Amino acid sequence: MGWIPLQSWNQDRFWDLDTGTELQIETQYPQQVILKLDSQGALKWNEDVDAGFVKEGVDVLKLKVLAEQLGYEQAVVEGAREAVRFTKGDYGFVLHKGEQRADIYWKDILSKSVVLSSIPQQQEGEWYLEQTDVNLLFGLSPIPWYEGHAYYEGGYKVELGKLPEKLTGTTAKLNAFLYDTQVQWTQKNLKDAIQPRLSLEENNDLGGKDALSSITVAPVSKAVTADTVTPLYHLSTSRTLTSGPHDLNIVLRVGERIVWMQPWHVVME
């Protein structure tokens, strides 16, 4: 018995012949916003840019700074009563003044609305959100960083294999390998990191009541300690479907940020 080094950046891939592997997911170079707290209780980016403040031990972040550093476009929503939209690629979300909700979009189509932990704040024309909601909407994970702390954005490239056109039984299930050399999910100081999740969705039902999504260290990976990188993970998702044809969406999310979505027409026999 021996171990073969995995070089995911050289396109090394694993295939599970027993359960099937429909997706291969590889991390991309991460983006992160590094903040420091000054003596006045203000959060600073790049030493002198105002990025928010701390209130009762919780970060309240200026969204303009996050958007600029993470590559989002910010725009006023026309026809709405004081609403703002943040868009990056096919993903976007809209905040409404005085309302404790966010509308999630994919390719300009409303996917869902989510309840926020607090109402978005406005100060001098700028929008602010508390840390919990920032993590949720931008899909950011808090991580320690020398004299301050940072927010980490996981980026992923999805390689789609051949999806079955027909399935027998009542359960649809997909399996994926995640090659993640950036986020060390088992590392102690990343215990609050947001893990990516897969879902099979029909008519925006988020997978249904019995939807399952899991991320585990792949069996072919060598056992690790709490502070050792494991680059290979197994993602899976499943749900119950009635017999007949179904138009599903395969969705990869980090928090509520939609990273990737793919239609899948399947017939349950």
Side-chain angles (χ1 to χ4, degrees), residues 49-62:
V49 177
D50 181 16
F53 54 92
V54 176
K55 181 180 180 181
E56 298 178 355
V58 176
D59 286 0
V60 183
L61 300 169
K62 182 186 288 188

Side-chain angles (χ1 to χ4, degrees), residues 4-245:
I4 302 174
L6 172 65
Q7 297 180 340
S8 59
W9 58 89
N10 285 336
Q11 306 303 309
D12 283 354
R13 294 292 181 263
F14 281 96
W15 292 91
D16 188 337
L17 299 181
D18 294 325
T19 62
T21 307
E22 288 83 12
L23 303 174
Q24 304 276 353
I25 305 170
E26 181 184 353
T27 52
Q28 303 297 288
Y29 190 79
Q31 296 192 88
Q32 50 199 15
V33 180
I34 302 168
L35 304 175
K36 291 185 179 180
L37 184 65
D38 70 11
S39 59
Q40 305 301 314
L43 290 168
K44 298 293 184 179
W45 174 80
N46 201 22
E47 302 293 344
D48 59 355
V49 177
D50 181 16
F53 54 92
V54 176
K55 181 180 180 181
E56 298 178 355
V58 176
D59 286 0
V60 183
L61 300 169
K62 182 186 288 188
L63 298 189
K64 180 180 178 180
V65 173
L66 288 179
E68 290 176 349
Q69 300 312 310
L70 298 173
Y72 282 77
E73 295 182 2
Q74 177 178 337
V76 173
V77 179
E78 296 183 5
R81 184 182 66 84
E82 294 196 59
V84 64
R85 180 191 297 269
F86 294 88
T87 306
K88 182 176 181 178
D90 292 325
Y91 170 69
F93 64 89
V94 173
L95 302 175
H96 303 266
K97 181 181 179 180
E99 297 187 28
Q100 195 172 337
R101 86 169 203 266
D103 298 326
I104 307 297
Y105 287 83
W106 179 257
K107 294 186 176 180
D108 294 325
I109 297 174
L110 180 63
S111 173
K112 62 184 294 192
S113 294
V114 297
V115 177
L116 303 175
S117 65
S118 62
I119 296 174
Q121 301 180 33
Q122 284 183 292
Q123 295 184 17
E124 299 180 352
E126 297 290 349
W127 289 76
Y128 291 78
L129 275 180
E130 291 189 2
Q131 174 181 332
T132 299
D133 297 320
V134 164
N135 295 349
L136 183 78
L137 298 176
F138 288 91
L140 301 180
S141 294
I143 60 175
W145 190 272
Y146 301 107
E147 299 176 1
H149 60 285
Y151 290 89
Y152 168 101
E153 179 194 68
Y156 299 92
K157 175 185 176 182
V158 181
E159 302 168 18
L160 181 63
K162 183 174 177 56
L163 296 171
E165 297 178 356
K166 296 181 180 180
L167 292 174
T168 302
T170 60
T171 301
K173 184 174 183 178
L174 286 182
N175 294 284
F177 278 122
L178 168 64
Y179 305 83
D180 201 329
T181 57
Q182 301 294 339
V183 175
Q184 305 170 37
W185 299 116
T186 59
Q187 198 174 45
K188 292 178 181 178
N189 62 5
L190 288 182
K191 60 183 177 61
D192 296 323
I194 302 176
Q195 298 178 347
R197 71 183 191 277
L198 276 174
S199 60
L200 289 173
E201 304 179 7
E202 187 172 35
N203 298 322
N204 289 334
D205 66 356
L206 306 182
K209 294 182 180 179
D210 62 344
L212 295 175
S213 179
S214 66
I215 175 172
T216 57
V217 177
V220 293
S221 296
K222 187 176 181 180
V224 295
T225 65
D227 295 308
T228 305
V229 176
T230 301
L232 186 62
Y233 297 84
H234 180 252
L235 267 71
S236 66
T237 182
S238 64
R239 62 169 295 158
T240 299
L241 293 172
T242 58
S243 60

